[in-house]
Amino acid sequence: MVRTPLTPWERRRGERFGALLREARGERSMVEVAAAAGVSAETLRKIETGRAPTPAFFTVAALAAAVGLSLDELAATCAQDVEDEAALSA
């Protein structure tokens, strides 16, 4: 199966998601949050750094719960920031 290349918008959305996770994680370690979410620390590291910009839904849901973010808040924030950026560049 060949994966379709990500658009610049999808990459920016993934980078914003990673930044939100880092911010919400606060002083907690990456290992602690990853364990609470049931994912590996390496998976969390890739998401936070934007190297995995489109994680699976259940990974997103587990990480959001582990850092206390609602999925609604997460989706709105990630989409809004990218839409704002697109509007500024138009």
Side-chain angles (χ1 to χ4, degrees):
M1 177 175 176
V2 176
R3 187 170 183 163
T4 305
L6 298 176
T7 65
W9 184 87
E10 290 168 324
R11 290 195 179 283
R12 286 190 302 275
R13 183 184 60 197
E15 290 167 0
R16 181 60 187 146
F17 173 55
L20 281 171
L21 283 178
R22 270 192 313 276
E23 183 180 315
R25 182 165 55 86
E27 297 296 317
R28 295 171 66 189
S29 75
M30 200 175 276
V31 172
E32 180 183 348
V33 171
V39 301
S40 71
E42 182 60 22
T43 295
L44 179 55
R45 182 175 295 107
K46 286 179 182 178
I47 293 169
E48 284 190 358
T49 60
R51 289 184 14 233
T54 58
F57 172 77
F58 291 104
T59 300
V60 172
L63 287 168
V67 297
L69 292 173
S70 75
L71 290 176
D72 289 338
E73 174 186 9
L74 186 66
T77 301
C78 288
Q80 185 61 46
D81 286 349
V82 173
E83 288 170 8
D84 289 347
E85 183 180 308
L88 290 174
S89 66

